[in-house]
Amino acid sequence: MTDFTAREREILFYLLTKSEPVQIQEIAEALETSERTIQRERERLGQTVAPFQLEMSYIRGRGLQLSGDEGHKRELREALLLSHRQLPSAEDRQVELAYRLLQEEGMIKLQALAHAMYIAPSTISQDLEQVDEWFCQYALELKRKKGLGAEVIGEEIDKRRLLVSLIFTQWDVLSFYRFLQGHVDQLPHLLQIHQREWIEAINQSYAVIVPLTKQQDISDRLLMRAALSLAVQAIRMDRFPMVYELKAYPLEILHHVDTLQQRLPYPLSIAERQWISEELRNFQQDQLETGEELVIRLRVKRLIEQVSLLYGEAFMEDRALEHGLVSHIMSYTKQNIVNPSYVIKQIEREYPRLFDAVKQAAEFVFNDQTFADYDLAFWVMHFGAVLSKPLPKIPYRVLVVCSAGLGSSKLLMNRLRQEFTELEQVESSSLFGIGRLQLKDYDFVLSTVPLPDISQPHLLVNPLLPKEEVERIRKLLVSLPKSFQAAPRQESSGWLDLSRLEELVKTARQLSDAFSIETISAQTEGLEEILLEISNGLVDKNVTSSAVQLSTQLLRRHEMSGLGIPGTRLALFHGRDDSIHRGGFFIYELEQPIELLGMDQAIQPVERMLVLAAPEEATDQLLQLLSSISGAIIENDLQTHQFEYGDIHQLRQILNRTFRKVIERELQPVEQPLDFSL
């Protein structure tokens, strides 16, 4: 087996997903390292890929390129995959950093951490930014002092919970079982820092906990967690005492604690008995804990990496994909699945190679958990959504509101033009000046000061527009239903275009006749299932030829940004796709509410899903009418309420009024002087 360094693996993983030369700066930014590091690795990379009959070349002005036959690239991918278990990734390094911080009392110098982990202090500083979020999830604070180091602040019970989750990111059930059979080499690298202590504690804890499980049907994963929890207690109880918190526990749990106390070779304080009580509750829960989110997130990153290699697509660059998969795996259940074999056949037919890649990667990354094919089918939808053809950029009109002075507004406007070339019209106004403007003339509003309630989409932003603000604005752009914006019309000559008018009226009638309100059964759980059921219904209506392609397009909209309309029970799904034959507007009432991300980035319950769909090559008239529907939804409070609760008759009346306004604008005369000259 070929040996690769961790850095070589990262660079080669990245280059294998690219067909064109890649700038050194781009590689460095993607891998969160320096350009100098990439330059230093260039010569060694060439030597590494040579046995695979591949060439690593540097093209001046264009960057690095991995060249060679696709078959040889596939061999390199397989070799990299096989080396994955032996060599730590960046995530493994960050897990070890978090683990070492939790083992320390008080402040620890970053230089000492860097020396212990054989990495540069600058890398430690970068990794601390990454792991800070993990500590926050467990109500812990990562406190840093310049020149002194870093320290974890928080309760011991939360530190122990994080420790157990960190171990789970590095250790699967099969390796744990082999370790208990005497294969000490199965102990993860993370625990080899204090190898002898962990071996003794885990074996002792397992021997104590096993008799309690004989009367119960407990999963291997819960048994492993119980053993690890006892081991963590044995190692930490003397150095890091627990603080007791008054709580009530079922008699059955208290009985188990008494039994464990009798079998343990050391006495337990009341606070330590509480730690065991908290952990034994897991035996009565058949669900993922909040602590599992860290485990799932790190494994999803590896899953995306593996699928990228197997499929040959740069899925790793897509942040929305990671978020979507984590949310899906954390919330998805196998119960009440509707016709799973039918779902699998649909996904396999649309994405055969991708399905195989996801299945193979899942077996590799989640080797201690079993996922059925219908689980994986919905994972494939998330990957397939990334492959959906992106919608063309449409010019946007934005209003910038700033009361801090001309300089601030100019600064923000210049930053906007730099970051968003699709912004066609950027205008500024003071807070008091917006009352004199027609806000409906703008697609959205950005403000450096809090605004009164306005109907247009808006965001409060920093005038310097840092990176995170750019991401928020990008999400807002994606959430806007501008995929239905009609092309700019030419100035009218005063001549009534009867053909255009006829097409407009015909399209309006078709949209009105096709409009429907349908109910989605409470047995359909999860957004992916709901979108697939909706799309299958639209296949029956001859709106689209591919339920999978349409549902992945709609899912992509959701993953990129929130689609829930704030303050309502509505979500607006919209998209254009080449699988769509004809446009339409449809409403789906959910018997069971679903939690979705809103346009304001807050989670909200949704009970009605509005779907706007159009062909990729749609007529200007269709886009104009669909755009008018999206505007009508939030035109006023009464109309929004009717979209939330109205029946089909009430909503057809709204559509009729909305279409009438569009047609009347078409008929508006343009004053032109009459020419009587001969």
Side-chain angles (χ1 to χ4, degrees), residues 289-327:
E289 309 166 71
T290 54
E292 288 286 272
E293 184 175 351
L294 174 60
V295 181
I296 296 297
R297 189 184 309 176
L298 290 181
R299 291 192 176 185
V300 162
K301 282 186 175 181
R302 290 177 182 171
L303 176 77
I304 294 172
E305 182 183 78
Q306 306 291 51
V307 175
S308 297
L309 286 166
L310 292 167
Y311 191 75
E313 181 73 28
F315 292 112
M316 293 175 293
E317 299 176 4
D318 197 283
R319 296 178 184 176
L321 172 62
E322 179 187 332
H323 173 76
L325 280 169
V326 170
S327 299

Side-chain angles (χ1 to χ4, degrees), residues 131-142:
V131 304
D132 186 49
E133 185 182 347
W134 302 351
F135 288 102
C136 290
Q137 287 179 25
Y138 289 81
L140 300 171
E141 178 188 357
L142 184 55

Side-chain angles (χ1 to χ4, degrees), residues 449-495:
V449 293
L451 292 174
D453 288 337
I454 59 175
S455 60
Q456 291 301 90
H458 57 281
L459 284 178
L460 185 66
V461 297
N462 184 324
L464 296 176
L465 213 63
K467 185 177 180 180
E468 58 270 18
E469 299 282 286
V470 172
E471 290 295 323
R472 288 178 63 219
I473 296 172
R474 180 64 64 194
K475 286 183 177 180
L476 175 63
L477 283 175
V478 174
S479 73
L480 295 173
K482 302 305 291 183
S483 52
F484 307 120
Q485 186 184 61
R489 292 185 58 191
Q490 300 295 324
E491 286 295 326
S492 174
S493 63
W495 183 266

Side-chain angles (χ1 to χ4, degrees), residues 153-177:
I153 307 296
E155 298 295 334
E156 171 63 12
I157 190 170
D158 296 317
K159 293 180 181 179
R160 291 186 186 182
R161 285 170 177 157
L162 176 54
L163 267 175
V164 173
S165 290
L166 290 172
I167 295 170
F168 262 105
T169 66
Q170 304 292 293
W171 215 4
D172 58 66
V173 171
L174 180 59
S175 298
F176 179 73
Y177 173 78

